[in-house]
Amino acid sequence: MMSDMLHLPLLPVYLVDAVGSALMIFFAIASMLEARRLLRRDPQNVLWAFFFWLTITLCALAISRSFWHLLRFFFLMAGKEIEWRQLAPFSGSINTLAFCAVAMSIFYYHSAEKVIATVRRDADLLRQAHRELAAAHEATRQLNQTLEERVERRTHALRVSEEKFRSLFEASKDMIFFCDREGRICDINDSGLDLLAFPSRDQVVGRPLGELFPSPAVYEQFAMTLAQQGHVKDFEVQLTGGTGAPRCFLLTTTAITNAQGEVQGCETIAIDFSHIKEVTAQLIQSEKMTSVGQLAAGVAHEINTPLGIILGYTQLLAEDFVDNQEVSETLGIIEKQTKICRRIVADLLKFSHPAVEQAMRPDDVNKCLVEVLAIVEHTLNMDHIFIHRCLAQSLPQVMLDAERLRQVFVNLINNAHYAIGNEGIIGVWSRHLVEEQEVEVIVADTGAGIPPEVQNRIFDPFFTTKGVGKGTGLGLSVSFGIVKDHGGRIEAFSPPRDPELLAVDMHTAFHIRLPVLRRQPDQEE
Amino acid sequence: MHAPAPVRCDPGFTIWPPVLAAWVLAFLLALPSQAWAVQAHGQSEGWLVHQLAHILFMIALIFLLTVLHRRPPGVGRPWKMLKLSLFLFLLWNIDTITVHWLASRLPEGAVDQCAELADRHIHLPASSLWLFYYMGSLDHLLCVPAIVFLFLSLRGFAAETGQPRMEDGKG
């Protein structure tokens, strides 16, 4: 019977119980202290709070259980097992309470987890909001940066464009101006001020554009065209500026309208074509002279032969009627008039025929002038007309026919003599125009001047203001042809163009310009 | 290694479910009969309440292990140690419940009543069940490692929270 029983010593059980109880107390307290350290480090951490309360209850369990176990050993070792049996129910009850407390603290994790989840969700939401806020901030920053860059880019482009058009406006050699809706000039460039001879912009800005027009009717026509078509192209008009001297302009104007199509003003580009018009007039005159010259040459050639025959027979008859005084005088008149006709024909031929190349040679213009003045000065002085000389020293040589050029000077001085009559001054100037590479001779007088209405006709053949029998009207025509043959040009100004001539009271001035001789390198050698 | 979730709790939050705790306390105080821990419990009421307390402890441990497994608040060595600690406490409860149950069926006179504790023996029927009873009486071999792992786990948390945080820290 005893062989079916196990006889096991209780000492190992007691030892493990005693040592284990002590270790349980030690590690339970150590765990509680560790949890408290965690909670103190982060008092608001609910997980650490959970561990702290868990370790407290475990500590209570360990102490109560181990205390009673150890106490039991003392009672047993003291042989007081009966007394221990009376205390044992308290030990079990307290252990039961401790178990329940530990279990409750573990169940508390459910609440703690909810708090953790809630806080995490809030933290996630906060983090998400933070990220979105950061993204929004970054987007706003980039938008601001983009906007700044755009504004800077647009501003730069606008500045470049403004500078470009401002440069175009200010540097243009044509007149550019703007008008408001009332037709008053509100801005004008420097070229406009120069062309209209206004000393300052203040004298132009605010001035009605119509005041510059030659007449209200012309301005009315201009304004009406602009209103009807929205633009005016190549409107030819003479505008009068600060000095009162009109200049010819071609106006191209465009109306400025707002978004509603209402006219706010206009912008105009005015091209000064006074010089072009002048050159065109000269060209027309030149062509006319050329045609007349060709016609005159043909007529002169046909008339010259009959005139020679008439003159020859008249002289023969004069020899036959030497004794008859009445017939002889009549034949003399015929001979004289025939000779006049031949001289006219000769002048016409000179006017129309080109210069003979062989007669042209390099020479000094001053030399021709001095020779002519020496001849005519005495005659002029008899009518109290004095000559004012102002001849440039060392003029460059000109390819010229001296004899024909002297004829030009004689014609001009004779015209001046006729214009002055008695008592006056004839001025003669010569100078070298370096830029144009020309030699200019000016013959001016203090005479009556040339009326404006005949200024365009003075170079026409047979046009004269002299009385019948006093002039043939070929002098200036012949002079025009001779100067042209020399490659130059002749112009008349009454009153003179140069302020210096006006200063010495000259009323008419003839300007002759001849090209300076350009030597070839071999000629120079 | 992730630090445990540093959750902020509401300062007004009540940690103990006061109603439940009061009820349990009242229930236990209403049973002033004898209760025995590992040692034998004489009266069945005290024994039953004690066993129920162990079962409640087990349920709590199973609950916490399940929650930590399904919704782990963190990963890393401290959390593993915590789980191991809970698991050992669970085994310890199973052991003690079994030992308490076997102790209630211990034959009369199984333990020597001699004065010297070192000479005391226990006389048990030769079966694996009673051999398990004898071995199960050494329950501190389970609960001491359990409390040690809990301590190591807390030290691990403390070490982690003392280091610079890799993430945003709390939570």
Side-chain angles (χ1 to χ4, degrees), chain A residues 182-252:
Chain A
E182 282 80 26
R184 295 179 181 277
I185 297 172
C186 52
D187 198 4
I188 187 169
N189 63 349
D190 293 340
S191 295
L193 295 177
D194 293 339
L195 291 171
L196 293 176
F198 282 110
S200 70
R201 190 170 275 100
D202 296 340
Q203 295 187 2
V204 186
V205 173
R207 183 188 287 257
L209 179 62
E211 286 185 3
L212 305 181
F213 275 60
S215 67
V218 177
Y219 180 70
E220 189 69 25
Q221 180 190 356
F222 169 81
M224 188 174 294
T225 307
L226 181 62
Q228 289 174 348
Q229 300 180 1
H231 70 275
V232 177
K233 185 169 175 58
D234 295 338
F235 188 85
E236 185 177 333
V237 66
Q238 282 190 328
L239 298 181
T240 305
T243 60
R247 294 182 75 98
C248 293
F249 289 97
L250 276 178
L251 304 185
T252 298

Coordinates of all heavy atoms in Angstrom, one line a residue, chain A residues 182-252:
Chain A
E182 N -10.7 117.5 -77.2 CA -11.1 118.9 -77.7 C -10.2 119.4 -78.8 O -10.3 120.5 -79.3 CB -11.0 119.9 -76.5 CG -12.2 119.8 -75.6 CD -12.1 118.7 -74.6 OE1 -10.9 118.2 -74.3 OE2 -13.1 118.1 -74.2
G183 N -9.2 118.5 -79.2 CA -8.3 118.9 -80.3 C -7.2 119.8 -79.9 O -6.5 120.5 -80.7
R184 N -6.9 119.8 -78.6 CA -5.8 120.5 -78.1 C -4.5 119.6 -78.0 O -4.6 118.5 -77.5 CB -6.1 121.1 -76.7 CG -7.2 122.1 -76.7 CD -7.5 122.6 -75.3 NE -8.6 123.6 -75.2 CZ -8.4 124.9 -75.5 NH1 -7.2 125.4 -75.8 NH2 -9.5 125.7 -75.5
I185 N -3.4 120.2 -78.4 CA -2.2 119.4 -78.3 C -1.8 119.2 -76.8 O -1.7 120.1 -76.1 CB -1.0 120.2 -79.0 CG1 -1.4 120.3 -80.5 CG2 0.3 119.4 -78.9 CD1 -0.4 121.2 -81.3
C186 N -1.6 117.9 -76.5 CA -1.3 117.6 -75.1 C 0.1 117.1 -75.0 O 0.7 117.1 -73.9 CB -2.3 116.6 -74.5 SG -2.5 115.1 -75.5
D187 N 0.8 116.7 -76.0 CA 2.2 116.3 -76.0 C 2.8 116.4 -77.4 O 2.0 116.1 -78.4 CB 2.3 114.9 -75.4 CG 3.7 114.6 -74.9 OD1 4.6 115.6 -75.0 OD2 4.0 113.5 -74.5
I188 N 4.0 116.7 -77.4 CA 4.7 116.8 -78.7 C 6.2 116.5 -78.5 O 6.7 116.8 -77.5 CB 4.5 118.2 -79.4 CG1 5.0 118.3 -80.8 CG2 5.1 119.3 -78.5 CD1 4.6 119.5 -81.5
N189 N 6.8 115.9 -79.5 CA 8.2 115.6 -79.4 C 9.1 116.7 -79.7 O 8.6 117.8 -80.2 CB 8.5 114.3 -80.2 CG 8.4 114.5 -81.7 OD1 7.8 115.5 -82.1 ND2 8.8 113.6 -82.4
D190 N 10.4 116.5 -79.5 CA 11.3 117.6 -79.7 C 11.4 118.0 -81.2 O 11.6 119.2 -81.5 CB 12.7 117.2 -79.2 CG 12.7 117.1 -77.7 OD1 11.8 117.7 -77.0 OD2 13.6 116.4 -77.1
S191 N 11.3 117.0 -82.1 CA 11.4 117.3 -83.5 C 10.2 118.2 -83.9 O 10.4 119.1 -84.7 CB 11.4 116.0 -84.3 OG 12.5 115.3 -84.1
G192 N 9.1 118.0 -83.3 CA 7.9 118.8 -83.5 C 8.2 120.3 -83.1 O 7.8 121.2 -83.9
L193 N 8.8 120.4 -82.0 CA 9.1 121.8 -81.5 C 10.1 122.4 -82.5 O 9.9 123.6 -82.8 CB 9.7 121.7 -80.1 CG 8.8 121.2 -79.0 CD1 9.6 121.1 -77.7 CD2 7.6 122.1 -78.8
D194 N 11.1 121.7 -82.9 CA 12.0 122.3 -83.9 C 11.4 122.6 -85.2 O 11.6 123.7 -85.7 CB 13.2 121.3 -84.1 CG 14.0 121.1 -82.8 OD1 14.0 122.0 -82.0 OD2 14.7 120.0 -82.7
L195 N 10.6 121.7 -85.7 CA 10.0 122.0 -87.0 C 9.0 123.1 -87.0 O 8.9 123.9 -87.9 CB 9.3 120.7 -87.5 CG 10.2 119.5 -87.9 CD1 9.4 118.3 -88.2 CD2 11.0 119.9 -89.1
L196 N 8.3 123.2 -85.9 CA 7.3 124.3 -85.7 C 8.0 125.6 -85.1 O 7.3 126.6 -85.0 CB 6.1 123.9 -84.9 CG 5.2 122.8 -85.5 CD1 4.2 122.4 -84.5 CD2 4.6 123.3 -86.8
A197 N 9.2 125.5 -84.8 CA 10.0 126.6 -84.3 C 9.4 127.2 -83.0 O 9.3 128.4 -82.9 CB 10.1 127.7 -85.4
F198 N 9.0 126.3 -82.2 CA 8.5 126.7 -80.8 C 9.7 126.5 -79.9 O 10.3 125.5 -79.8 CB 7.3 125.9 -80.4 CG 6.0 126.3 -81.0 CD1 5.4 125.5 -81.9 CD2 5.5 127.5 -80.7 CE1 4.2 125.9 -82.5 CE2 4.2 127.9 -81.2 CZ 3.6 127.1 -82.1
P199 N 10.0 127.5 -79.1 CA 11.2 127.4 -78.2 C 11.0 126.4 -77.0 O 11.9 125.9 -76.5 CB 11.4 128.8 -77.7 CG 10.1 129.5 -77.8 CD 9.4 128.9 -79.0
S200 N 9.7 126.3 -76.6 CA 9.5 125.4 -75.5 C 8.2 124.7 -75.7 O 7.3 125.1 -76.4 CB 9.5 126.2 -74.1 OG 8.3 127.0 -74.1
R201 N 8.1 123.5 -74.9 CA 6.9 122.7 -75.1 C 5.6 123.4 -74.5 O 4.5 123.2 -74.9 CB 7.1 121.4 -74.4 CG 6.1 120.3 -74.6 CD 6.4 119.0 -74.1 NE 7.2 118.2 -75.1 CZ 8.5 118.1 -75.1 NH1 9.2 118.6 -74.1 NH2 9.2 117.4 -76.0
D202 N 5.9 124.3 -73.5 CA 4.8 125.0 -72.9 C 4.0 125.8 -73.8 O 2.8 126.1 -73.6 CB 5.3 125.9 -71.7 CG 5.9 125.0 -70.6 OD1 5.6 123.8 -70.6 OD2 6.7 125.6 -69.8
Q203 N 4.7 126.3 -74.9 CA 4.0 127.2 -75.8 C 3.1 126.4 -76.8 O 2.3 127.0 -77.5 CB 5.0 128.0 -76.6 CG 5.8 129.0 -75.7 CD 6.7 129.9 -76.6 OE1 6.7 129.8 -77.8 NE2 7.4 130.7 -75.9
V204 N 3.3 125.1 -76.8 CA 2.5 124.2 -77.7 C 1.4 123.5 -77.0 O 0.3 123.4 -77.4 CB 3.4 123.2 -78.4 CG1 2.7 122.5 -79.5 CG2 4.6 124.0 -79.0
V205 N 1.8 122.9 -75.8 CA 0.8 122.1 -75.1 C -0.3 123.0 -74.6 O -0.2 124.0 -74.1 CB 1.5 121.5 -73.9 CG1 0.5 120.7 -73.0 CG2 2.6 120.5 -74.3
G206 N -1.5 122.5 -75.0 CA -2.7 123.2 -74.6 C -3.2 124.1 -75.8 O -4.4 124.5 -75.7
R207 N -2.4 124.2 -76.8 CA -2.8 125.1 -77.9 C -3.7 124.2 -78.9 O -3.4 123.1 -79.1 CB -1.6 125.5 -78.7 CG -1.9 126.5 -79.8 CD -0.6 126.7 -80.6 NE 0.4 127.6 -79.9 CZ 0.6 128.8 -80.1 NH1 -0.1 129.4 -81.1 NH2 1.4 129.5 -79.4
P208 N -4.8 124.8 -79.3 CA -5.7 124.1 -80.3 C -4.9 123.8 -81.6 O -4.2 124.7 -82.1 CB -6.8 125.0 -80.5 CG -6.8 125.9 -79.4 CD -5.4 126.1 -79.0
L209 N -5.1 122.6 -82.1 CA -4.4 122.2 -83.3 C -4.8 123.1 -84.5 O -4.0 123.4 -85.4 CB -4.6 120.7 -83.6 CG -4.0 120.1 -84.9 CD1 -2.5 120.2 -84.8 CD2 -4.5 118.7 -85.1
G210 N -6.1 123.5 -84.4 CA -6.6 124.3 -85.5 C -5.9 125.6 -85.7 O -5.9 126.1 -86.8
E211 N -5.3 126.1 -84.7 CA -4.5 127.4 -84.8 C -3.3 127.3 -85.7 O -2.8 128.2 -86.2 CB -4.1 127.9 -83.4 CG -5.2 128.4 -82.5 CD -4.7 129.0 -81.2 OE1 -3.5 129.0 -81.1 OE2 -5.5 129.4 -80.4
L212 N -2.8 126.0 -85.8 CA -1.6 125.8 -86.6 C -2.0 125.7 -88.1 O -1.1 125.8 -89.0 CB -0.8 124.6 -86.2 CG -0.4 124.6 -84.7 CD1 0.3 123.3 -84.4 CD2 0.4 125.8 -84.4
F213 N -3.3 125.4 -88.4 CA -3.7 125.2 -89.7 C -3.8 126.6 -90.4 O -4.0 127.6 -89.8 CB -5.0 124.5 -89.8 CG -4.9 123.0 -89.7 CD1 -4.3 122.4 -88.6 CD2 -5.4 122.1 -90.7 CE1 -4.1 121.0 -88.5 CE2 -5.2 120.8 -90.6 CZ -4.6 120.2 -89.5
P214 N -3.7 126.5 -91.8 CA -3.8 127.8 -92.5 C -5.1 128.5 -92.4 O -5.2 129.7 -92.5 CB -3.4 127.4 -93.9 CG -3.7 126.0 -94.0 CD -3.4 125.4 -92.7
S215 N -6.2 127.7 -92.3 CA -7.5 128.3 -92.2 C -8.4 127.4 -91.5 O -8.2 126.1 -91.5 CB -8.1 128.6 -93.6 OG -8.3 127.4 -94.3
P216 N -9.5 127.9 -90.9 CA -10.5 127.0 -90.2 C -11.1 126.0 -91.1 O -11.4 124.9 -90.7 CB -11.5 128.0 -89.7 CG -10.8 129.3 -89.6 CD -9.8 129.3 -90.7
A217 N -11.3 126.4 -92.4 CA -11.9 125.4 -93.4 C -11.0 124.2 -93.5 O -11.6 123.1 -93.6 CB -12.1 126.2 -94.7
V218 N -9.7 124.4 -93.6 CA -8.8 123.3 -93.8 C -8.9 122.4 -92.6 O -8.9 121.1 -92.7 CB -7.4 123.7 -94.1 CG1 -6.4 122.6 -94.2 CG2 -7.3 124.6 -95.3
Y219 N -8.9 123.0 -91.4 CA -8.9 122.2 -90.2 C -10.3 121.4 -90.1 O -10.3 120.3 -89.6 CB -8.7 123.1 -88.9 CG -8.8 122.3 -87.7 CD1 -7.8 121.4 -87.3 CD2 -9.9 122.4 -86.8 CE1 -7.8 120.7 -86.1 CE2 -10.0 121.7 -85.6 CZ -8.9 120.8 -85.3 OH -9.0 120.1 -84.2
E220 N -11.3 122.1 -90.5 CA -12.6 121.5 -90.5 C -12.6 120.2 -91.4 O -13.2 119.2 -91.0 CB -13.7 122.5 -91.0 CG -15.1 122.0 -90.8 CD -15.5 122.0 -89.3 OE1 -14.9 122.7 -88.5 OE2 -16.4 121.2 -89.0
Q221 N -12.0 120.4 -92.5 CA -11.9 119.2 -93.4 C -11.1 118.1 -92.8 O -11.5 116.9 -92.8 CB -11.3 119.7 -94.7 CG -11.1 118.5 -95.8 CD -10.3 119.0 -96.9 OE1 -9.8 120.1 -97.0 NE2 -10.0 118.0 -97.9
F222 N -10.0 118.5 -92.1 CA -9.2 117.5 -91.5 C -10.0 116.8 -90.3 O -10.0 115.5 -90.3 CB -7.9 118.2 -90.9 CG -7.1 117.4 -90.0 CD1 -6.2 116.4 -90.5 CD2 -7.2 117.5 -88.6 CE1 -5.5 115.7 -89.6 CE2 -6.5 116.8 -87.7 CZ -5.6 115.8 -88.2
A223 N -10.6 117.6 -89.5 CA -11.3 117.0 -88.4 C -12.5 116.1 -88.8 O -12.8 115.1 -88.2 CB -11.8 118.1 -87.5
M224 N -13.2 116.6 -89.9 CA -14.3 115.8 -90.4 C -13.9 114.4 -90.9 O -14.5 113.4 -90.6 CB -15.0 116.6 -91.5 CG -16.4 116.0 -91.9 SD -17.2 117.0 -93.1 CE -17.6 118.4 -92.0
T225 N -12.8 114.4 -91.6 CA -12.2 113.2 -92.2 C -11.9 112.2 -91.0 O -12.1 111.0 -91.0 CB -11.0 113.4 -93.1 OG1 -11.4 114.4 -94.0 CG2 -10.6 112.2 -93.7
L226 N -11.2 112.8 -90.0 CA -10.8 112.0 -88.8 C -12.0 111.4 -88.1 O -12.0 110.3 -87.7 CB -10.0 112.9 -87.9 CG -9.5 112.2 -86.6 CD1 -8.5 111.0 -87.0 CD2 -8.8 113.2 -85.7
A227 N -13.1 112.2 -88.0 CA -14.3 111.8 -87.3 C -15.0 110.7 -88.1 O -15.5 109.7 -87.5 CB -15.2 113.0 -87.0
Q228 N -15.0 110.8 -89.4 CA -15.7 109.9 -90.2 C -15.0 108.6 -90.4 O -15.6 107.5 -90.3 CB -16.0 110.5 -91.6 CG -17.1 111.6 -91.5 CD -17.2 112.3 -92.8 OE1 -16.4 112.1 -93.8 NE2 -18.3 113.1 -93.0
Q229 N -13.7 108.6 -90.6 CA -12.9 107.4 -91.0 C -12.1 106.9 -89.8 O -11.6 105.8 -89.9 CB -12.0 107.7 -92.1 CG -12.7 108.2 -93.4 CD -11.8 108.5 -94.5 OE1 -10.6 108.3 -94.4 NE2 -12.3 108.9 -95.7
G230 N -12.0 107.7 -88.8 CA -11.1 107.2 -87.6 C -9.7 107.5 -87.9 O -8.8 107.2 -87.0
H231 N -9.3 107.9 -89.0 CA -7.9 108.2 -89.3 C -7.8 109.1 -90.5 O -8.8 109.2 -91.3 CB -7.1 106.9 -89.6 CG -7.5 106.2 -90.9 ND1 -8.6 105.3 -91.0 CD2 -7.0 106.3 -92.1 CE1 -8.7 104.9 -92.2 NE2 -7.8 105.5 -93.0
V232 N -6.7 109.7 -90.7 CA -6.4 110.6 -91.8 C -5.0 110.2 -92.3 O -4.1 110.1 -91.5 CB -6.5 112.1 -91.4 CG1 -6.1 112.9 -92.6 CG2 -7.8 112.5 -90.9
K233 N -4.9 110.0 -93.6 CA -3.6 109.6 -94.1 C -3.1 110.6 -95.1 O -3.9 110.9 -96.0 CB -3.7 108.2 -94.7 CG -2.4 107.6 -95.2 CD -2.6 106.1 -95.5 CE -1.3 105.6 -96.1 NZ -0.1 105.7 -95.2
D234 N -1.9 111.0 -95.0 CA -1.2 111.8 -95.9 C -2.0 113.1 -96.2 O -2.2 113.5 -97.4 CB -0.9 111.1 -97.2 CG 0.1 110.0 -97.0 OD1 0.8 110.0 -96.0 OD2 0.1 109.0 -97.8
F235 N -2.4 113.8 -95.2 CA -3.2 115.0 -95.3 C -2.1 116.1 -95.5 O -1.4 116.4 -94.6 CB -4.0 115.3 -94.1 CG -5.0 116.4 -94.2 CD1 -6.2 116.3 -94.8 CD2 -4.6 117.7 -93.8 CE1 -7.1 117.3 -94.9 CE2 -5.5 118.7 -93.9 CZ -6.7 118.6 -94.5
E236 N -2.1 116.7 -96.7 CA -1.1 117.8 -97.0 C -1.6 119.1 -96.5 O -2.7 119.5 -96.8 CB -0.8 117.8 -98.5 CG 0.3 118.8 -98.9 CD 0.5 118.7 -100.4 OE1 0.3 117.7 -101.0 OE2 1.0 119.8 -100.9
V237 N -0.8 119.7 -95.6 CA -1.2 121.0 -95.0 C 0.1 121.8 -94.7 O 1.1 121.3 -94.4 CB -2.0 120.7 -93.8 CG1 -1.2 120.1 -92.7 CG2 -2.7 122.0 -93.3
Q238 N -0.1 123.1 -94.7 CA 0.9 124.0 -94.3 C 0.6 124.4 -92.8 O -0.4 125.1 -92.6 CB 1.0 125.3 -95.2 CG 1.7 125.0 -96.5 CD 1.9 126.3 -97.2 OE1 1.2 127.2 -97.1 NE2 3.0 126.4 -98.0
L239 N 1.5 124.1 -91.9 CA 1.3 124.4 -90.5 C 2.2 125.6 -90.2 O 3.4 125.7 -90.6 CB 1.7 123.2 -89.6 CG 0.8 122.0 -89.7 CD1 1.3 120.9 -88.8 CD2 -0.7 122.3 -89.6
T240 N 1.6 126.5 -89.4 CA 2.3 127.7 -89.1 C 2.8 127.6 -87.6 O 2.0 127.4 -86.7 CB 1.4 129.0 -89.2 OG1 0.9 129.0 -90.5 CG2 2.2 130.2 -88.9
G241 N 4.1 127.7 -87.4 CA 4.7 127.5 -86.1 C 4.9 128.9 -85.4 O 4.3 129.9 -85.6
G242 N 6.0 128.8 -84.5 CA 6.3 130.0 -83.7 C 6.7 131.2 -84.4 O 6.4 132.3 -84.1
T243 N 7.5 131.0 -85.5 CA 8.0 132.1 -86.2 C 7.0 132.7 -87.3 O 7.3 133.7 -87.9 CB 9.3 131.7 -87.0 OG1 9.0 130.7 -87.9 CG2 10.4 131.2 -86.0
G244 N 5.9 132.0 -87.5 CA 5.0 132.5 -88.5 C 5.2 132.0 -89.9 O 4.4 132.2 -90.8
A245 N 6.4 131.3 -90.1 CA 6.7 130.8 -91.4 C 6.1 129.4 -91.6 O 6.3 128.6 -90.8 CB 8.2 130.7 -91.6
P246 N 5.2 129.3 -92.6 CA 4.6 128.0 -92.7 C 5.5 126.9 -93.3 O 6.4 127.3 -94.0 CB 3.4 128.3 -93.7 CG 3.9 129.5 -94.5 CD 4.8 130.3 -93.6
R247 N 5.3 125.7 -92.9 CA 6.0 124.6 -93.4 C 5.0 123.6 -93.9 O 3.9 123.4 -93.3 CB 6.9 124.0 -92.3 CG 8.0 124.9 -91.9 CD 8.9 124.2 -90.9 NE 9.8 123.2 -91.5 CZ 11.0 123.4 -91.9 NH1 11.6 124.6 -91.6 NH2 11.8 122.5 -92.5
C248 N 5.4 122.9 -94.9 CA 4.5 121.9 -95.5 C 4.7 120.5 -94.7 O 5.8 120.1 -94.5 CB 4.8 121.7 -97.0 SG 4.4 123.1 -97.9
F249 N 3.6 120.0 -94.4 CA 3.6 118.7 -93.6 C 2.6 117.7 -94.3 O 1.6 118.1 -94.9 CB 3.2 118.8 -92.2 CG 4.2 119.6 -91.4 CD1 4.1 120.9 -91.1 CD2 5.3 118.9 -90.8 CE1 5.1 121.6 -90.4 CE2 6.3 119.5 -90.0 CZ 6.2 120.9 -89.8
L250 N 2.9 116.4 -94.1 CA 2.0 115.4 -94.5 C 1.5 114.7 -93.2 O 2.4 114.2 -92.4 CB 2.7 114.3 -95.3 CG 2.7 114.5 -96.8 CD1 3.4 113.4 -97.5 CD2 1.3 114.7 -97.4
L251 N 0.3 114.9 -92.8 CA -0.2 114.4 -91.5 C -0.9 113.0 -91.7 O -1.7 112.8 -92.6 CB -1.3 115.4 -91.0 CG -0.9 116.8 -90.8 CD1 -2.0 117.6 -90.1 CD2 0.4 117.0 -90.0
T252 N -0.4 112.1 -90.8 CA -1.1 110.8 -90.7 C -1.6 110.7 -89.3 O -0.8 110.7 -88.3 CB -0.1 109.7 -91.1 OG1 0.3 109.8 -92.4 CG2 -0.8 108.3 -90.9

